[in-house]
Amino acid sequence: MAPSDPSILLSWAQLQDIDFHKSIQINSTPHAGLGIYYTGTDTLVTFEDAEPITLISVPRNVVLTAENIRTFALSYGTTLRPLLRIGEDDERVSERATILRFLLFSLHEFAAPKLQKIAKESNCYAAYLDFMPSPLLQRRDDAQSQLTSLSLSDLPPPPIFWTPAEISKAAGTSLYYPLSAKLRLLSSEFEQFSSQWREVFEKVEGAGEKDVEISFEEYVRADWLVASRVMELPIGDEPGLGVVPLIDFANHSTSLHVNARYEITDDAVKLVSLPGQVAPEDELLISYGPNKGTSEILFTYGFLIDSEDAGCEAVKMRVRDGGVLQLVYGRPPVAEFYVREGEVKWECEFLWLLCVTEEDEFEVSVAQTVEGLPDVDISIRGQTLSGVRGQAAVDAIKEAYGSDEKMKDVLELRRVLILEKWVSGWMEDLARVEVRECVEADEHIAELEDEGKGDWKEKDPVDGIIETLRQREERVYLLVLQALEKRKEDLVESDTVLAYLAAQDEKADEEAAEAVETDEIR
Ligand SMILES: C[S@@+](CC[C@H](N)C(=O)[O-])C[C@H]1O[C@@H](n2cnc3c(N)ncnc32)[C@H](O)[C@@H]1O
């Protein structure tokens, strides 16, 4: 019998040695699926300089990390191990892929009783995984009907579930390129994964077609579950990833309403209170990232943030430049724009690579192309640096030219002009209908539909979401353009820029005079 009551989650948590405050409950929320609630009778108070209150503490060994999953897989003998490519060193799968594969194995509805038993009954995470958000899982009918009363179907479909036609409508926004790239990535990963899945399960006695087949839809769903629930969990200096059961039910809110945060220790991942008050029946809310833009939150979590509440609007746009940036970064870098309480800021350090030219004795050249990435040489005022990439290249240029008082403002003006041109272009893209139409023909997205990989996509109306995103991005660009215009006005008045322009005029006059002389001699 499938669970109907989220308090089952807490019983499961107890069995896993997860500690939680006596007044914590998992419950349905109006528009965000399940959430974590404080149900005490007294207000919970955390003082500014006092220790935070631990609300939930999950031991490290319960977290769904690649390492824990691999250890866990050893007890699964010949089924899960080959799927995670354990023992096949040259084929080690990434952390993210290990978590994804484990989720798929645990959530797939196997027909063969032997497989169903291994994946569900012997799986100590099964009771927790039964509460993963619907409609993104194929729950058994009885569970589905009971859970509908928990409003889980209110969860908005994330963009990765939008139909190809809907995705096309997002053209011009900062959502379109990452979304299209993600589908491309998942589609190519799926080719390999589905054949490995078949290979593993057809060896199991009694396995039928339902067991050896995995659909693209399931793969995308599992990927979304990982993306929307995983958190960064460094171990010492090493980066790491993990899904933290129970704490992963914490929903997002803006800084005005947030009352909890994560705390990572060597032994546990905790949800702790923030200074302030939590009233009885309040939901415990965290921030998924105060600097995340509307499009980023929409892409990963599927909902629109309340941007007015957030106090910060951000747009992060990939710069598609096939030239120097592509060479030095290997992939398009991201231009970041923030509007916080009316103040506009941008982070586009890579513009340093474009604001210096041959005239400034700067050059980027490809030394040789070894499979995949080209080997890049950077020449700065006669000094050649080999193999410097990304930020290191930017730092070298900043060090060489940034301290040159005669050039500083000139280079900044060039950066401002480049940015102005890009932002104006992006604004036009946002407004231009033809762009939307032209990407409707995005071959890859069309292919997904042709191959039947797009049939399952949500048919919910998402036009409103896209329109809001478009309007917010337009607003940010407009404010950025105003700020750039202001900066440009200041820079063109600067002594160094005026001196530079005068020198350029003089040089141009001399060149013109020389040209006249040459003509006369002829
Ligand atoms: C880490 S999970 C949180 C638990 C989730 N509510 C559940 O039922 O499993 C993140 C997902 O919760 C939903 N969510 C979180 N905060 C939300 C919010 N403020 N508005 C709408 N949905 C939200 C989104 O579907 C998001 O992808």
Side-chain angles (χ1 to χ4, degrees), residues 31 262 493:
H31 301 290
Y262 299 132
E493 294 293 320

Side-chain angles (χ1 to χ4, degrees), residues 29 31-35 131-133 152 155-156 224 228-229 248-253 288 300-304:
T29 66
H31 301 290
L34 293 176
F131 287 92
M132 290 295 103
L152 288 189
L155 270 190
W224 180 73
S228 64
R229 306 183 92 82
D248 67 340
F249 283 95
N251 288 318
H252 164 93
S253 192
Y288 290 176
T300 313
Y301 302 101
F303 65 91
L304 276 178

Side-chain angles (χ1 to χ4, degrees), residues 241-259:
L241 292 176
V243 174
V244 188
L246 216 61
I247 293 184
D248 67 340
F249 283 95
N251 288 318
H252 164 93
S253 192
T254 53
S255 50
L256 286 181
H257 309 290
V258 159
N259 50 18

Side-chain angles (χ1 to χ4, degrees), residues 173-421:
T173 69
S174 63
L175 180 71
Y176 182 78
Y177 180 75
L179 193 53
S180 169
K182 177 84 188 197
L183 274 168
R184 213 176 288 264
L185 174 79
L186 290 178
S187 181
S188 78
E189 279 179 1
F190 178 71
E191 296 303 315
Q192 194 195 27
F193 174 76
S194 53
S195 64
Q196 287 178 355
W197 177 279
R198 172 174 283 279
E199 205 181 287
V200 170
F201 293 112
E202 64 191 1
K203 290 194 183 122
V204 177
E205 210 187 301
E209 205 43 32
K210 193 163 180 246
D211 304 306
V212 299
E213 279 284 336
I214 188 98
S215 68
F216 185 59
E217 169 186 3
E218 270 183 277
Y219 192 71
V220 177
R221 280 167 192 248
D223 180 78
W224 180 73
L225 278 185
V226 179
S228 64
R229 306 183 92 82
V230 83
M231 62 187 271
E232 282 176 22
L233 286 179
I235 305 173
D237 290 340
E238 291 294 311
L241 292 176
V243 174
V244 188
L246 216 61
I247 293 184
D248 67 340
F249 283 95
N251 288 318
H252 164 93
S253 192
T254 53
S255 50
L256 286 181
H257 309 290
V258 159
N259 50 18
R261 64 172 169 86
Y262 299 132
E263 192 174 283
I264 300 169
T265 69
D266 287 346
D267 317 313
V269 182
K270 299 178 179 178
L271 184 73
V272 300
S273 62
L274 280 174
Q277 299 191 349
V278 183
E281 307 305 325
D282 271 0
E283 184 179 356
L284 294 166
L285 295 162
I286 58 168
S287 166
Y288 290 176
N291 292 330
K292 288 209 167 111
T294 299
S295 157
E296 268 179 298
I297 294 272
L298 182 60
F299 176 74
T300 313
Y301 302 101
F303 65 91
L304 276 178
I305 42 172
D306 192 338
S307 73
E308 273 168 34
D309 251 17
C312 173
E313 282 259 22
V315 177
K316 299 180 189 176
M317 190 69 176
R318 247 175 222 294
V319 179
R320 277 182 287 166
D321 151 281
V324 172
L325 295 182
Q326 181 70 35
L327 279 179
V328 174
Y329 280 85
R331 66 191 204 123
V334 178
E336 301 184 11
F337 306 97
Y338 300 94
V339 179
R340 225 175 251 116
E341 288 162 18
E343 201 193 335
V344 182
K345 287 217 165 112
W346 50 88
E347 277 174 31
C348 307
E349 285 262 282
F350 52 84
L351 279 173
W352 280 91
L353 281 157
L354 305 179
C355 73
V356 278
T357 65
E358 271 177 40
E359 248 180 58
D360 311 308
E361 295 176 78
F362 173 76
E363 237 174 291
V364 175
S365 53
V366 179
Q368 66 181 106
T369 304
V370 199
E371 216 171 292
L373 281 181
D375 212 355
V376 180
D377 279 351
I378 287 181
S379 165
I380 299 174
R381 291 178 172 155
Q383 205 194 345
T384 301
L385 303 168
S386 294
V388 266
R389 307 205 133 263
Q391 189 60 36
V394 170
D395 290 343
I397 300 167
K398 275 171 82 174
E399 199 186 315
Y401 298 97
S403 53
D404 182 340
E405 287 303 322
K406 281 197 198 131
M407 289 297 288
K408 227 166 125 200
D409 286 352
V410 177
L411 297 182
E412 189 183 344
L413 181 59
R414 287 186 194 159
R415 293 198 296 278
V416 164
L417 291 172
I418 299 169
L419 202 52
E420 194 180 39
K421 193 167 141 232

